[in-house]
Amino acid sequence: MELLGRPATFSDPPALKDPQGFTTLGAITAVEHDKATVTLHCGEARLRLLLLTDDVVRLRVAPPGASFGRDFSYALDPGTTWHGPSALTVEENDAIVRIQTGALTIQTEKTTCRLQILDATGRILFADEAGPAWENAGSNGTDTVSHVALSARLRPGERLFGLGDKTVTLDRRGHRFALWNTDAFEYQRGTDPLYKSIPFLLSLHDGAACGLFVDTTQRMTVDLGAEANDRLRVEAPGSALDYYVLAGATPLAVLQQFARLTGRTPMLPKWALGYHQCRYSYRNEGEIREVARELRARRIPCDALYFDIHYMDGFRVFTWDRDAFPDPAGLIADLKQDGFQSIVIIDPGVKADDPAYGIARAGHAHDAYIKQPDGSPYTGKVWPGACHFPDFTNPAVRDWWGPLHAELLKQGVAGVWNDMNEPAVFIEDLEEATAITMPEDLRHDYDGHPTDHAEVHNAYGMQMLRATYEGLLRLAPERRPFTITRAAYAGTQRYGTTWTGDNTSSWDHLKLAVEQCLSLSVSGTPFVGADVGGFVGTPDGELLARWTQLGALMPLFRNHTTLGTPPQEPWVFGEEVERICREAIELRYRLLPYFYTLLWEAATDGLPMLRPLALPHPADETIRREAPLGFYLGSSLLAYPVLDAGQIQMNAYLPPVPGGWYDVHTGRHHPGDGGTVVPVETPLDRLPLFVKAGSIVPFQPVLQHVEENPVEELTLHVYPTPGAFTARLYDDAGVGWAFKNGD
Ligand code: GLC
């Protein structure tokens, strides 16, 4: 059976519920506080503000008769300690309760408990509209709370970034979204929901930045001014509302706070930054050896090759098809000898109907599978046919799953790719199709607090990645694991990298790749990429060339295509395209010291590697008005990828920076402290790239793979500006953890 893909079954944006059915907090009846916490009582309901620091506040709402809910979250980084605000004062008068920290003022209206959060200069960062609210299941208003909601005010000109990989423009204002991880095969612009649910927004208004993170893994509806232009509304099932407002002096500082909250990417092996070659699937040992041979013979640098689902025996995870791959260890050793790392796919579905399959039996023995309400293991169909699915929200199951990678590691596998972990389940009857995931009433452990699938769905993929990452680390503690996931919730970056799933070989998807990767970067997920060349369909040579140029600037740089398409490797479109792809890949390898420094900054400082132009220039009118699809790589390089067919010229907007910009290719200086538009030639072999005056960009010689030779020479390109300036360059062994000791 050839499995080309799944039907995409997308629903219209979910309707918002009638706000009339919701109850808001109402008048404040009592105020309690200590050094870091303020509790506002509104009759039987409570709003608790926890000041994690001077400029990060966590807000928890308990409707009447309900508690604040369990203090548990998969999103939060357990490694972060918050020390509370430097100072906290709480004052009251007849009209308001005023809470003051070293950086923020929080004013709450006494009659309604609606709040406003202001920065030290008095600018409003966040303001309730109706504020937090809840809906009771029954009509008499006394039943259990069924839904919670939050409504905040949106101001004219306010932009909203983030929310993960949503397929609209970077600024999400004016749209409504569903957050429900979905296998979105062949998604297009506007398709929603997709694979990831990251309920984080970055608001930019009047030069001020503010983050909002609503921490729930439930199916969420987020309306960003679609229903009413001046209102943000979030709705989710459940009875507790738990959210964070994050302030900071700059947009980047807000993102750093979000990284403190939900964690940073771990340091990855340096080869992760090389070029990766994939397809669904290299079918046998001969095919993968051939690709390796071509890459080296043609001097196209490459560090990683992928084994998609056909390497397995009947798609049984942790097995090999021994006809197609008779000697995995020998093959992987030979590839390694030539400088290729081997990455294998592992999906969550464990083939269920084969009594001879040891992993499936072990799953039963460990009581590892997601259960139906009657306690029997749930069965759903994926690539291998009927499957059971490990409950990765159970710590014992994660501990069982991790070590299953031992044999793969022994065979030399260097990285693991977790796919279909939304989780995706195929539907039998396509006519009736409404959903492609498992029933919402299935049972999960949820780290010791049993609940239904509806509550953990959006975190399932993340917990699978966690099981993989922690397992790899346990099996080979001296190594930096390399993992990729398709599904994600906030915090997933702590366990590895991600890509944007099953995109299409089209020019619009090239644009989407920029928008999705930048948005993921704003949403706490720095190591991202989109399938170069597009997954569904086939690019022509021009599109592959332009996509390879873009990919060369994305953290994860992987060419991938689906089953049944013609080859998509860089050499199949003729000599000119091959040369252009080679040059783009070579540029990536020459810039590795720069990229590696960005990775380290992401891992240590929580800084995004890719940055939309609005991040460093929140008050820039041209960027606000025209939203050009250029982006920063770190703080020095500015890329303007060519995103249209036949484009041989573009006008690139260079934002105002002291000393102006230099063209990386020509060295030409564009002064213009005030921001300028410069015409740029964009012949097919040119990717417009600029560098900010006052930067130092390190280049190394081209390597065929990261570990080919020790780099003994760096060339520092210095782009002067009047006055002194500094730059950071980070390097280490590229593998292992010795860097933690300063090595
Ligand atoms: C999914 C993945 C894709 C992979 C395919 C087969 O569609 O998104 O990348 O190649 O499954 O494993």
Side-chain angles (χ1 to χ4, degrees), residues 6 183 185 195 280 308-309 345 347 383 417 419-420 486 499 501-502 531 535 558 560-561:
R6 288 78 65 195
D183 175 9
F185 177 74
Y195 310 91
Y280 171 21
D308 205 332
I309 52 174
I345 196 166
D347 290 346
W383 308 126
W417 169 21
D419 187 29
M420 306 294 277
R486 194 171 68 176
W499 93 109
D502 297 345
D531 286 344
F535 180 71
R558 183 181 79 161
H560 184 34
T561 183

Side-chain angles (χ1 to χ4, degrees), residues 189-273:
R189 181 174 293 278
T191 301
D192 189 63
L194 258 56
Y195 310 91
K196 303 175 179 69
S197 300
I198 308 183
F200 174 73
L201 288 163
L202 174 73
S203 144
L204 298 185
H205 179 250
D206 197 14
C210 173
L212 173 67
F213 172 52
V214 183
D215 191 6
T216 172
T217 52
Q218 297 267 13
R219 183 196 292 271
M220 206 190 299
T221 306
V222 180
D223 184 296
L224 303 178
E227 184 164 278
N229 192 314
D230 56 356
R231 189 183 70 193
L232 169 157
R233 188 167 170 90
V234 176
E235 290 177 3
S239 61
L241 184 59
D242 189 1
Y243 59 106
Y244 297 77
V245 176
L246 305 97
T250 62
L252 276 175
V254 173
L255 296 191
Q256 286 182 285
Q257 294 286 27
F258 186 56
R260 284 194 69 202
L261 192 66
T262 62
R264 296 170 272 259
T265 176
M267 204 53 192
L268 304 169
K270 196 188 266 183
W271 58 258
L273 284 165

Side-chain angles (χ1 to χ4, degrees), residues 36 38 47-60 82 99 101 104-106 115 117 126 210-213 242-247 257 261:
V38 182
L47 171 66
R48 179 164 291 164
L49 300 100
L50 298 103
L51 278 305
L52 303 186
T53 175
D54 280 324
D55 48 11
V56 178
V57 49
R58 176 180 181 191
L59 298 107
R60 304 185 72 189
W82 298 95
I99 302 161
T101 74
L104 299 178
T105 303
I106 304 170
L115 59 77
I117 302 182
F126 177 90
C210 173
L212 173 67
F213 172 52
D242 189 1
Y243 59 106
Y244 297 77
V245 176
L246 305 97
Q257 294 286 27
L261 192 66

Side-chain angles (χ1 to χ4, degrees), residues 21-346:
F22 283 76
T23 311
T24 51
L25 286 162
I28 299 173
T29 46
V31 180
E32 275 177 287
H33 74 95
D34 61 23
K35 279 197 198 121
T37 306
V38 182
T39 306
L40 303 174
H41 295 259
C42 304
E44 296 290 297
R46 285 166 298 162
L47 171 66
R48 179 164 291 164
L49 300 100
L50 298 103
L51 278 305
L52 303 186
T53 175
D54 280 324
D55 48 11
V56 178
V57 49
R58 176 180 181 191
L59 298 107
R60 304 185 72 189
V61 179
S67 72
F68 287 108
R70 175 152 78 112
D71 195 1
F72 172 82
S73 164
Y74 283 131
L76 303 188
D77 183 357
T80 300
T81 316
W82 298 95
H83 297 290
S86 60
L88 183 74
T89 57
V90 180
E91 295 160 0
E92 284 182 60
N93 61 30
D94 289 347
I96 57 171
V97 176
R98 181 182 289 118
I99 302 161
Q100 196 115 27
T101 74
L104 299 178
T105 303
I106 304 170
Q107 284 183 174
T108 312
E109 219 170 52
K110 272 198 161 163
T111 49
T112 62
C113 199
R114 286 188 312 191
L115 59 77
Q116 279 191 340
I117 302 182
L118 300 90
D119 70 8
T121 66
R123 284 184 304 196
I124 296 176
L125 300 177
F126 177 90
D128 278 338
E129 191 237 22
W134 55 90
E135 185 191 50
N136 290 319
S139 50
N140 64 4
T142 56
D143 294 347
T144 333
V145 171
S146 60
H147 279 80
V148 286
L150 176 67
S151 313
R153 257 187 250 147
L154 295 176
R155 283 102 12 121
E158 181 169 0
R159 284 167 292 169
L160 296 164
F161 298 83
L163 276 194
D165 56 354
K166 300 299 186 186
T167 52
V168 301
T169 46
L170 291 178
D171 177 3
R172 274 66 164 95
R173 181 99 183 246
H175 297 275
R176 184 185 306 152
F177 304 96
L179 269 58
W180 184 252
N181 291 1
T182 302
D183 175 9
F185 177 74
E186 209 178 358
Y187 67 85
Q188 298 302 327
R189 181 174 293 278
T191 301
D192 189 63
L194 258 56
Y195 310 91
K196 303 175 179 69
S197 300
I198 308 183
F200 174 73
L201 288 163
L202 174 73
S203 144
L204 298 185
H205 179 250
D206 197 14
C210 173
L212 173 67
F213 172 52
V214 183
D215 191 6
T216 172
T217 52
Q218 297 267 13
R219 183 196 292 271
M220 206 190 299
T221 306
V222 180
D223 184 296
L224 303 178
E227 184 164 278
N229 192 314
D230 56 356
R231 189 183 70 193
L232 169 157
R233 188 167 170 90
V234 176
E235 290 177 3
S239 61
L241 184 59
D242 189 1
Y243 59 106
Y244 297 77
V245 176
L246 305 97
T250 62
L252 276 175
V254 173
L255 296 191
Q256 286 182 285
Q257 294 286 27
F258 186 56
R260 284 194 69 202
L261 192 66
T262 62
R264 296 170 272 259
T265 176
M267 204 53 192
L268 304 169
K270 196 188 266 183
W271 58 258
L273 284 165
Y275 174 67
H276 299 205
Q277 184 63 53
C278 187
R279 87 156 287 135
Y280 171 21
S281 301
Y282 295 122
R283 289 291 191 116
N284 53 50
E285 152 150 17
E287 282 188 20
I288 208 150
R289 283 188 189 276
E290 181 62 21
V291 171
R293 203 161 29 239
E294 290 286 352
L295 285 160
R296 291 295 178 249
R298 293 170 186 274
R299 312 269 316 146
I300 297 172
C302 180
D303 266 274
L305 296 174
Y306 284 65
F307 294 75
D308 205 332
I309 52 174
H310 289 93
Y311 81 89
M312 293 180 270
D313 171 19
F315 309 129
R316 290 168 184 81
V317 286
F318 303 107
T319 68
W320 286 86
D321 174 345
R322 292 286 175 162
D323 293 331
F325 297 92
D327 176 18
L331 169 63
I332 291 171
D334 290 349
L335 293 174
K336 183 84 214 283
Q337 182 69 25
D338 281 341
F340 296 103
Q341 313 288 338
S342 294
I343 297 170
V344 298
I345 196 166
I346 295 284

Side-chain angles (χ1 to χ4, degrees), residues 660-676:
W661 293 88
Y662 293 84
D663 184 315
V664 170
H665 300 289
T666 63
R668 187 166 158 212
H669 184 216
H670 299 284
D673 293 4
T676 49

